Amino acid sequence: MTKYFRLNLKALLKNPVLIFWAIIFVEFWVLMWAYVFGASVPSYEEAVKDYVSLAFGSLTIISLSAVATGIMNSLIYASKSIKFVTKYTKLSPSRFLMENATSSLVVLLTVSAVMFFSMTGVFWQKFGTLIRQKTR
C-alpha cells in the first residue's frame, strides 16, 4: 500500500469526532443498557441471552453508523483533491478508491473489535455469564 493508505488510516483512527461518537458515546450506552436498563431483566438464561443480543445488535448499529458517517466525511474532503493527487503523484483514481475502501474497512473492523470486547466484558461482569453463540 502507498503512503496515502497509511495516512488515511492514521487520520481515521485518530479522528476525535469518530472516536467520540463511535466508541465513547456508545460505551456510555453500553453501561446504561447493562446497569440501568438491565436491572429489571429476569435472571433466567433465555431472558438474559435475548436482552444481551438485543443490546449487541442495537449498540453495534449505532457505533458502525457513526464510523460510516466519519468515513464518508473524510472521503468527501479527500476526494476534493483527487484531481491534484492523481496529476502530480503515481496514485490513480482507482487505486485511490481501493486504498480508501481498504483503510475504511480496517477502521470498521477495529471499532467493531473494540465494541465487541467492551460489550462482552461489561455484560459478562453484569450478568455473570459469558453470552456466546451455541454451536450444534
Side-chain angles (χ1 to χ4, degrees):
M1 294 292 160
T2 64
K3 191 173 187 175
Y4 174 73
F5 171 78
R6 290 189 306 273
L7 290 174
N8 190 39
L9 183 62
K10 186 177 178 180
L12 286 172
L13 288 175
K14 289 187 173 185
N15 185 350
V17 175
L18 189 139
I19 291 171
F20 176 77
W21 288 110
I23 296 174
I24 297 171
F25 177 73
V26 178
E27 285 299 324
F28 167 75
W29 286 106
V30 168
L31 295 173
M32 291 290 287
W33 273 68
Y35 294 105
V36 177
F37 308 139
S40 62
V41 175
S43 61
Y44 61 92
E45 186 180 357
E46 195 63 35
V48 171
K49 282 185 178 182
D50 289 345
Y51 181 74
V52 171
S53 63
L54 177 67
F56 263 74
S58 301
L59 296 170
T60 301
I61 287 174
I62 293 169
S63 178
L64 293 182
S65 64
V67 173
T69 303
I71 288 170
M72 287 310 299
N73 191 22
S74 72
L75 179 63
I76 289 170
Y77 286 115
S79 65
K80 290 181 180 181
S81 64
I82 193 169
K83 176 181 175 184
F84 302 107
V85 169
T86 56
K87 185 175 181 180
Y88 298 112
T89 65
K90 295 179 184 178
L91 190 64
S92 66
S94 60
R95 184 112 178 152
F96 169 81
L97 288 175
M98 183 194 68
E99 291 189 7
N100 206 320
T102 307
S103 62
S104 300
L105 181 64
V106 170
V107 170
L108 282 169
L109 291 174
T110 303
V111 170
S112 296
V114 167
M115 295 310 300
F116 173 77
F117 290 118
S118 167
M119 285 189 264
T120 301
V122 168
F123 285 109
W124 182 27
Q125 198 278 329
K126 166 64 176 157
F127 294 109
T129 59
L130 185 60
I131 307 297
R132 299 181 311 186
Q133 178 68 27
K134 287 186 178 180
T135 56
R136 294 180 186 185

